[in-house]
């Protein structure tokens, strides 16, 4: 699957199988990606703002230039991207930007 430079707002990808998808340059705002399988996906330059990635599988994904950030929706933790429990084994994290992300740094 190849979706490039699309904008997603308040969409649910909860538990979705997006293995090896190409989502380069896509923007996700307030999206639910809990438990999504993004293993091996190309996520170069994506923007995640206020998204929930709890338990998502990003092993072997390419996150070069990706931005995990926030949406100003009130008092934190509302509007913060949540990375609690994500899997990042062998992911490419070159030039990754983080802005007030919950669950980071990732600990094994």
């Amino acid at each position: 699957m190849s979706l490039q430079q699309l904008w997603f707002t308040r969409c649910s990808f909860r538990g979705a199988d997006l293995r090896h998808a190409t989502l380069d340059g896509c923007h996700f705002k307030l999206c639910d990606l809990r438990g999504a399988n993004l293993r091996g996906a190309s996520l170069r330059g994506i923007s995640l703002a206020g998204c929930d990635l709890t338990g998502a599988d990003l092993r072997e994904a390419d996150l070069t230039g990706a931005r995990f950030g926030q949406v100003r929706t009130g008092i934190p933790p509302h509007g913060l991207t949540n990375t609690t429990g994500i899997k990042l084994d062998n992911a490419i994290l070159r030039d990754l930007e983080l802005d007030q992300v919950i669950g980071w740094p990732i600990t094994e």
Side-chain angles (χ1 to χ4, degrees):
M1 172 175 28
S2 178
L3 300 173
Q4 296 182 357
Q5 299 182 350
L6 296 177
W7 292 74
F8 299 98
T9 302
R10 296 188 185 276
C11 295
S12 177
F13 298 92
R14 188 174 187 173
D17 185 352
L18 298 169
R19 286 175 291 173
H20 303 286
T22 301
L23 300 168
D24 297 341
C26 288
H27 298 265
F28 296 85
K29 181 178 174 184
L30 300 169
C31 291
D32 184 354
L33 292 138
R34 290 177 285 176
N37 187 346
L38 291 153
R39 187 171 189 161
S42 182
L43 307 171
R44 298 172 63 89
I46 67 162
S47 172
L48 295 155
C51 296
D52 191 346
L53 291 150
T54 302
D57 186 349
L58 290 125
R59 291 177 289 174
E60 301 162 9
D62 185 351
L63 291 156
T64 300
R67 183 174 189 283
F68 288 32
Q70 62 176 313
V71 174
R72 299 197 195 293
T73 60
I75 300 170
H78 302 291
L80 300 182
T81 293
N82 189 342
T83 62
T84 304
I86 65 172
K87 299 172 187 162
L88 286 170
D89 301 317
N90 298 314
I92 300 168
L93 305 175
R94 187 177 26 252
D95 298 325
L96 178 67
E97 292 181 39
L98 303 171
D99 181 19
Q100 298 188 37
V101 175
I102 297 170
W104 202 278
I106 306 303
T107 57
E108 300 287 325

